[in-house]
Amino acid sequence: MISVANLVCGILLTFVELNCENLFDCQHDTLKQDQEFLPNSTRHWTTSRYWKKVNNIGQEIIACGESSDGWKLPDLVALCEVENDSVCRDLTKRSLLRKAGYEYVVTQSPDLRGIDVALLYNPFTFRMLNHQAIRVEPLADMRPTRDILYVEGVVATDDTLHVFVVHAPSRFGGESVTRPHRKQVGDRLSLAIDSVRSIHPQAKIIVTGDMNDPHDGHLPQQIESFGLTNVSRGVKGTHGAHGTYKYHGLWQSIDHFFVSRSLLLFFSSCIVLDASFLVESDDVYNGVRPLRSYHGMRYGSGFSDHLPLVARFVFGD
């Protein structure tokens, strides 16, 4: 792990991971089951609510650049639960982030609801070389799931990063019943990582996203078996968050950062960002909870039901 002292002679790269909690636009896609997020739906997902959400996510990403050393715009942002290219364009070109200069790549997954994963990147600090959406073939009893997003790019020190963004199937229906679905994602991810390593044996690899499994769950353990280290294990916030997600009063860390041994040397830190404006008092279970967009069907005008992970790396001498 890089020490704080080495920040003086190295180049800092900040990588954020965030599940956006249903960042849908207000238009119906006839090929997807997105009726829940339309103006005339039970959620009353109006244009004003949509733009409130987009700007909230932008504010959240900007806040992730704050540290004890000052503020720096995050270089990479992995997003889960974004509906399509349209919302990514609005987020990067028309929201509070419009002057940040972010570019993005987003998948077009077979997920029935239409949710995808995306990667925002600062083209001045990360030069993208190529990207690919990796399809996960569903099992017989498994709904089509999100593609894995693979992005290869170069940072300012000419180090090449191989990034995989994952949003694994949920536990809806039971953990044991859905475990094979997440394992299917892990198996496909393993093949993709092996493919990268066959060409670049010492590849600097980052796997991040919402795994819908805690640190000791099957999928995170499976990913660690690929020779990756979970650098987000046990991380907490500074305003009461003991994970990225709170369910029935229990904090869980189902969002993760994994890095290869070749990249671990450049890893500096990882935190849960639980800034005061991102959380609210938990009147039922005590403590705090993420300030989310919806509590069931009740609109909360918040940010997300997940808190962001912020990982920092230092490259250079």
Side-chain angles (χ1 to χ4, degrees), residues 64-275:
C64 289
E66 189 69 36
S67 73
S68 59
D69 302 304
W71 180 86
K72 175 182 178 291
L73 187 72
D75 302 280
L76 297 168
V77 184
L79 298 177
C80 298
E81 287 196 18
V82 294
E83 185 183 14
N84 50 33
D85 180 271
S86 177
V87 300
C88 291
R89 184 175 64 252
D90 286 342
L91 178 62
T92 56
K93 310 304 180 187
R94 302 178 67 190
S95 79
L96 294 174
L97 290 175
R98 61 187 177 276
K99 294 185 178 180
Y102 280 123
E103 301 295 338
Y104 66 88
V105 287
V106 61
T107 58
Q108 293 182 320
S109 303
D111 178 86
L112 296 181
R113 296 176 61 231
I115 58 174
D116 290 300
V117 299
L119 183 74
L120 314 187
Y121 63 95
N122 182 344
F124 297 103
T125 60
F126 181 83
R127 178 167 55 89
M128 188 178 69
L129 300 178
N130 64 77
H131 65 92
Q132 178 185 357
I134 302 170
R135 187 60 46 89
V136 178
E137 189 67 27
L139 301 173
D141 64 340
M142 177 180 169
R143 290 165 44 138
T145 191
R146 280 72 65 173
D147 292 345
I148 299 169
L149 176 61
Y150 165 69
V151 179
E152 179 185 9
V154 177
V155 299
T157 54
D158 286 333
D159 290 281
T160 300
L161 300 183
H162 301 267
V163 177
F164 294 90
V165 184
V166 179
H167 185 189
S170 75
R171 294 187 171 201
F172 183 75
E175 190 281 327
S176 60
V177 172
T178 58
R179 186 185 306 162
H181 305 167
R182 290 182 293 281
K183 182 179 183 300
Q184 183 76 348
V185 172
D187 290 344
R188 185 64 187 89
L189 176 63
S190 175
L191 292 175
I193 291 175
D194 285 345
S195 178
V196 169
R197 284 174 167 163
S198 68
I199 302 172
H200 309 285
Q202 296 301 314
K204 296 179 176 66
I205 298 170
I206 301 175
V207 175
T208 188
D210 178 357
M211 307 301 166
N212 272 304
D213 251 346
H215 298 304
D216 58 354
H218 182 275
L219 180 55
Q221 290 185 337
Q222 185 181 9
I223 295 173
E224 287 190 278
S225 74
F226 307 158
L228 303 179
T229 300
N230 190 341
V231 296
S232 56
R233 179 186 293 272
V235 298
K236 300 178 181 179
T238 58
H239 290 81
H242 294 272
T244 57
Y245 183 76
K246 195 174 187 182
Y247 182 70
H248 287 177
L250 297 177
W251 283 103
Q252 303 176 20
S253 290
I254 58 178
D255 302 275
H256 305 270
F257 269 106
F258 302 87
V259 303
S260 59
R261 293 189 184 96
S262 54
L263 185 56
L264 190 59
L265 296 172
F266 302 92
F267 171 68
S268 175
S269 64
C270 186
I271 64 167
V272 176
L273 185 74
D274 62 345

